[in-house]
Amino acid sequence: MILDTIAEATALRVTQQKKQIPPKELEEAAIRTAKAQHHCFPFEQALRQWDINFICEVKKASPSKGIIAEDFPYVQIAREYEQAGAAAVSVLTEPQFFLGKDEYLEEIVNAVKIPVLRKDFTIDPYQIYQSKLLGASAVLLICSLLEQPVLKEYLDICQQLGLSALVEAHDEQEIETAADAGARIIGVNNRNLKTFDVDIQNSRKLRTLVPESIIFVAESGIRTADDVQALRDAGVHAVLIGETLMRSPDKQKMLHTLRGNAYD
């Protein structure tokens, strides 16, 4: 399965990174950074601004689609999202399958004022401390990769560092796992990460299982203003949109079209 393959590659990458910066050194640096900041969790605040909010993704490639953007002015793309009213930016940093880089995240964080999610495959606490030092406001935690005790441990680390966590689920059991672990943001991925099939109805179906106190994010397969409106009607707080925006030559216009009357 592709998710397992990505997780294995990520474990090898993290092992190499630990040789460059030892875990204890990285952890202490991240904690110092956190202590110097106020824990205001801007990512969570951003996702409650409007009745539906947009997390816009900066992504060069994916395992299912290959190269999405040959021309990839990632900082300019992030700025366009911000100017068009995005609540937050998501940045792929996984290098092997999504052709991401940590540098993309760092440069975008320094270029925009809205919060930035580090989109990677978190399988080690090292990556959470790393995300803090890269300037991220949030990290991705995937239920399919993490047993509940580990998920709770990672959420506790995020809390300590002032990082939000988008906890990604795909079915009823994972929703329960996320909620029981203490997730404050649950993202339902309409793409099955084992088969890569997409069904946008997955978010609508699972929305009723998540209490209003938890921010609900719909991810993947959102292509039209009608899709956004249907999710808005279902009480979804935010949508994460990647490929539809990345393939558009005019990203600001596309975001305006997708928004429809959401902010009227």
Side-chain angles (χ1 to χ4, degrees):
M1 291 182 291
I2 186 64
L3 185 61
D4 294 333
T5 303
I6 295 172
E8 289 169 8
T10 301
L12 290 173
R13 168 167 46 112
V14 171
T15 297
Q16 292 301 313
Q17 290 172 336
K18 287 179 178 178
K19 294 177 181 177
Q20 297 169 6
I21 303 176
K24 190 66 175 175
E25 181 181 329
L26 190 81
E27 177 181 341
E28 289 173 351
I31 291 171
R32 284 196 302 271
T33 298
K35 286 180 177 178
Q37 300 172 343
H38 297 294
H39 287 190
C40 58
F41 299 98
F43 187 73
E44 290 164 53
Q45 293 183 35
L47 300 192
R48 289 195 181 274
Q49 289 181 99
W50 306 94
D51 54 358
I52 195 161
N53 302 277
F54 290 79
I55 307 167
C56 300
E57 193 151 86
V58 178
K59 175 167 62 175
K60 183 175 179 63
S62 77
S64 59
K65 301 293 184 178
I67 299 290
I68 295 169
E70 289 284 0
D71 183 32
F72 191 59
Y74 49 93
V75 171
Q76 179 186 327
I77 291 168
R79 285 176 172 153
E80 288 179 13
Y81 289 159
E82 181 178 38
Q83 290 164 7
V89 176
S90 169
V91 181
L92 262 297
T93 58
E94 195 287 321
Q96 186 170 335
F97 299 89
F98 292 85
L99 304 185
K101 293 181 181 180
D102 290 343
E103 290 81 4
Y104 296 161
L105 178 75
E106 286 184 295
E107 291 181 41
I108 287 170
V109 165
N110 290 325
V112 300
K113 293 183 173 62
I114 55 177
V116 179
L117 165 71
R118 186 190 187 194
K119 191 90 171 283
D120 211 317
F121 295 79
T122 307
I123 47 87
D124 192 297
Y126 189 89
Q127 294 167 276
I128 304 175
Y129 295 114
Q130 192 179 54
S131 298
K132 182 66 179 180
L133 291 172
L134 290 170
S137 295
V139 296
L140 177 69
L141 302 178
I142 301 174
C143 286
S144 296
L145 289 177
L146 306 170
E147 298 291 334
Q148 189 181 61
V150 177
L151 177 59
K152 187 177 187 314
E153 175 195 346
Y154 288 9
L155 286 169
D156 289 344
I157 294 171
C158 288
Q159 178 68 23
Q160 178 189 22
L161 295 176
L163 285 172
S164 296
L166 173 59
V167 181
E168 185 172 286
H170 185 263
D171 56 27
E172 294 88 343
Q173 184 177 349
E174 290 182 353
I175 290 280
E176 184 177 349
T177 296
D180 288 349
R184 297 200 297 265
I185 311 171
I186 292 178
V188 166
N189 196 337
N190 299 313
R191 175 176 286 109
N192 186 320
L193 291 180
K194 295 176 180 176
T195 65
F196 272 72
D197 294 334
V198 177
D199 179 8
I200 195 174
Q201 297 305 317
N202 200 38
S203 288
R204 298 179 70 187
K205 179 180 70 174
L206 297 177
R207 176 66 189 94
T208 57
L209 302 180
V210 178
E212 183 63 28
S213 59
I214 297 175
I215 295 170
F216 188 100
V217 180
E219 308 173 37
S220 300
I222 302 160
R223 307 188 189 286
T224 68
D226 287 343
D227 290 341
V228 173
Q229 186 62 41
L231 293 167
R232 183 191 190 207
D233 291 342
V236 168
H237 296 105
V239 289
L240 192 154
I241 303 179
E243 185 183 345
T244 298
L245 287 167
M246 286 302 307
R247 291 193 185 278
S248 173
D250 188 336
K251 293 172 177 54
Q252 292 192 51
K253 182 178 179 181
M254 176 56 74
L255 185 53
H256 179 76
T257 299
L258 289 169
R259 182 183 295 127
N261 65 349
Y263 295 172
D264 293 348

